[in-house]
Amino acid sequence: MTDPAKTATLSFDGKSFELPMYSPTAGPDVVDIRKLYADAGVFTYDPGFTSTASCDSTITYIDGGEGVLLHRGYPIDQLASKSHYLEVCYLLLYGELPTAAQLEDFETRVTRHTMIHEQMHNFFRGFRRDAHPMATMVGVVGAMSAFYHDSTDINDPWQREVASIRLIAKMPTIAAMAYKYSIGQPFNYPRNDLDYAANFLHMCFAVPAEKYEVNPILSRAMDRIFILHADHEQNASTSTVRLASSSGANPFACIAAGIACLWGPAHGGANQACLEMLKEIGSVDRIPEYIERAKDKNDPFRLMGFGHRVYKNFDPRAKVMKQSADEVLDLLGVDNNPLLQVAKELERIALQDEYFADKKLFPNVDFYSGIILEAMGFPTSMFTPIFALSRTVGWISQWKEMIGDPQMKIGRPRQLYLGETQRDYVNVEDR
Ligand code: CMC
């Protein structure tokens, strides 16, 4: 980090403390409070980390007010329209767009690692058939540390690199196997003659009894979904990965922790929750009832797939995803699907509604990705696993950055304690 650009003054109880401030390359200045407790004896209080930078990073930049998302400086819409997922993975991991030779080498390394240890097939079979694929993924990805001992030493840069490639390469295989297992179909081995997205569609939808041709428009749409979910700076699951790894845990355990966090409906689980909500609404004429419920302070119901912690203008990923959704729906000719009609009408009504405009609530990336995935034939339970496989590269890039950071410390937040002060134990017969 550079020298502090300026200082902020904190005054209380007649004392003042100078706090260094740093200017980022983009975004608001930060006040450095690392020595605050040592110097002033106070903590800061920021549940939900709405004003706290937990690290410095050079990977992703978001300007929520302007609807900007940059990976290593490149705007997401340019990456989504001109690049492809594995190139974006390279960019996130290594900081620069690859040369043709670097890209070929990277793609070869990823495709050589797409199979999983054969014994892991038995591991899948230990799960109930009706297990949610996210439950299976948390377990199987965590179990990778039991299968790939030679890439768990986080202090060895070579092992870190191998673990990164393994996770990116195997995640589609694991997600597809979790799906196949849940519907009682045989697993498909990966096909390395297909690109990353087409191979995933093949592993999910091919059956041994029939020839399966991947539709290039669908594999392009799949690839875009992967790109649009690849990284999103210090969101809940990425912060979970960083926190887990700050204790020195191995990468497979840390990514399993990230998957667990992503599963929640306020985060990656929103795409499933959104489709379930559309199914619950069921028909266009019931939309006003649900809009009213979303506005009612006494009703916990929220319009899933609407709103974002950081984007308060529009979600730039949703813009690209909407285009993709239109292309896919057009190709598949599923415009008369009642669920998709509800989605379109809900989007139209919510965008015109004052409540949503005032609170800056608009459809987020999960609203449109759910629609595309539904049209492609994925069950709702696969939406979050697809988010998880796409986000793996972001988690790994942030994990690698953190391990390489000399300032890395174990994450250990403080608290505002509001419980009882010390009191004496009372024997049970006296209570
Ligand atoms: N429907 C109705 N009202 C909402 C919604 C919604 N989806 N989202 C926020 N609000 C209201 C909320 O009630 C609050 O109103 P008030 O100021 O009167 O109390 C106000 O808007 C601000 O909400 P908040 O909960 O303080 O905002 P937040 O930044 O903490 O939450 C969020 C962000 C994404 C968790 C929230 O908007 C939400 O729950 N959305 C639905 C779930 C969803 O789609 N999540 C996916 C996010 S994008 C993918 C990802 O990055 O994981």
Side-chain angles (χ1 to χ4, degrees):
M1 210 140 50
T2 52
D3 287 338
K6 49 193 168 186
T7 57
T9 308
L10 175 72
S11 307
F12 62 94
D13 294 346
K15 292 176 282 184
S16 295
F17 300 90
E18 294 293 306
L19 300 167
M21 290 184 71
Y22 298 98
S23 294
T25 48
D29 289 349
V30 299
V31 180
D32 180 351
I33 55 160
R34 282 175 293 178
K35 298 216 171 85
L36 185 64
Y37 178 56
D39 293 348
V42 293
F43 298 148
T44 55
Y45 180 58
D46 185 16
F49 303 111
T50 52
S51 303
T52 299
S54 59
C55 59
D56 51 83
S57 180
T58 60
I59 300 173
T60 292
Y61 172 70
I62 299 174
D63 181 336
E66 296 298 319
V68 170
L69 168 60
L70 310 176
H71 292 321
R72 305 286 191 184
Y74 297 101
I76 190 65
D77 54 322
Q78 289 185 24
L79 293 173
S81 59
K82 297 184 179 169
S83 183
H84 60 90
Y85 183 66
L86 281 186
E87 186 176 64
V88 173
C89 288
Y90 186 101
L91 175 68
L92 288 167
L93 277 171
Y94 306 112
E96 294 297 336
L97 285 170
T99 61
Q102 285 168 332
L103 183 59
E104 195 187 329
D105 171 62
F106 181 67
E107 288 182 338
T108 307
R109 281 191 290 142
V110 172
T111 47
R112 294 275 158 81
H113 282 279
T114 49
M115 291 204 313
I116 60 166
H117 193 293
E118 196 63 16
Q119 210 178 322
M120 287 181 90
H121 291 217
N122 301 333
F123 194 78
F124 273 90
R125 294 195 169 97
F127 287 94
R128 282 172 55 134
R129 288 274 177 197
D130 60 356
H132 193 288
M134 281 299 273
T136 311
M137 279 183 82
V138 173
V140 174
V141 172
M144 284 176 77
S145 33
F147 285 90
Y148 302 103
H149 301 147
D150 58 345
S151 50
T152 51
D153 179 358
I154 61 161
N155 298 314
D156 177 344
W158 186 83
Q159 293 203 28
R160 294 207 294 267
E161 179 66 17
V162 176
S164 306
I165 298 288
R166 277 186 170 143
L167 278 157
I168 294 167
K170 295 184 200 306
M171 204 60 91
T173 314
I174 291 171
M177 287 174 78
Y179 171 50
K180 286 297 199 188
Y181 184 74
S182 73
I183 54 170
Q185 287 187 5
F187 299 139
N188 286 319
Y189 285 99
R191 267 184 51 191
N192 290 350
D193 60 318
L194 296 175
D195 66 36
Y196 194 85
N199 175 48
F200 178 63
L201 291 176
H202 149 77
M203 289 189 292
C204 288
F205 293 124
V207 286
E210 276 176 27
K211 195 170 157 53
Y212 176 75
E213 294 277 352
V214 183
N215 181 317
I217 297 189
L218 295 189
S219 69
R220 178 73 193 128
M222 191 79 253
D223 192 77
R224 251 190 210 162
I225 289 180
F226 292 162
I227 293 176
L228 294 174
H229 287 95
D231 190 49
H232 214 224
E233 51 116 308
Q234 310 312 320
N235 57 84
S237 57
T238 302
S239 298
T240 300
V241 171
R242 280 187 179 255
L243 195 58
S245 80
S246 76
S247 71
N250 77 66
F252 305 112
C254 297
I255 301 301
I259 296 172
C261 176
L262 186 78
W263 195 358
H267 191 11
N271 47 19
Q272 171 170 354
C274 174
L275 251 284
E276 280 164 0
M277 174 194 74
L278 296 177
K279 281 183 185 159
E280 189 186 316
I281 297 176
S283 60
V284 168
D285 55 301
R286 295 190 64 202
I287 293 174
E289 180 197 324
Y290 281 84
I291 297 265
E292 285 319 304
R293 283 189 60 193
K295 295 187 209 172
D296 182 356
K297 278 257 147 276
N298 301 315
D299 189 330
F301 174 77
R302 284 186 168 202
L303 277 192
M304 300 313 286
F306 279 75
H308 199 273
R309 166 59 65 80
V310 178
Y311 296 120
K312 298 299 176 196
N313 185 350
F314 65 93
D315 180 343
R317 303 167 301 170
K319 246 184 159 179
V320 184
M321 201 68 97
K322 182 174 163 51
Q323 260 177 23
S324 237
D326 290 341
E327 272 172 35
V328 169
L329 298 191
D330 203 36
L331 173 85
L332 298 175
V334 288
D335 247 6
N336 54 358
N337 175 330
L339 214 63
L340 302 175
Q341 280 172 355
V342 172
K344 283 191 165 173
E345 188 59 8
L346 181 66
E347 177 199 21
R348 196 187 64 77
I349 296 180
L351 287 177
Q352 286 174 355
D353 194 289
E354 223 172 87
Y355 172 92
F356 292 91
D358 286 354
K359 295 195 183 299
K360 302 186 191 310
L361 300 171
F362 42 80
N364 58 47
V365 68
D366 286 332
F367 183 76
Y368 298 109
S369 67
I371 294 172
I372 300 179
L373 294 172
E374 163 82 14
M376 277 179 168
F378 283 104
T380 48
S381 60
M382 274 305 286
F383 294 5
T384 318
I386 289 170
F387 191 160
L389 90 82
S390 322
R391 183 55 58 84
T392 296
V393 68
W395 291 330
I396 294 169
S397 305
Q398 303 268 351
W399 166 79
K400 275 181 83 179
E401 180 176 72
M402 177 176 170
I403 297 206
D405 182 353
Q407 302 188 77
M408 178 187 126
K409 276 181 186 301
I410 187 166
R412 182 32 175 113
R414 300 295 196 157
Q415 65 173 3
L416 168 61
Y417 178 67
L418 297 174
E420 297 287 346
T421 51
Q422 185 170 326
R423 50 183 171 167
D424 289 327
Y425 179 80
V426 181
N427 290 329
V428 69
E429 58 277 16
D430 300 328
R431 279 175 230 157

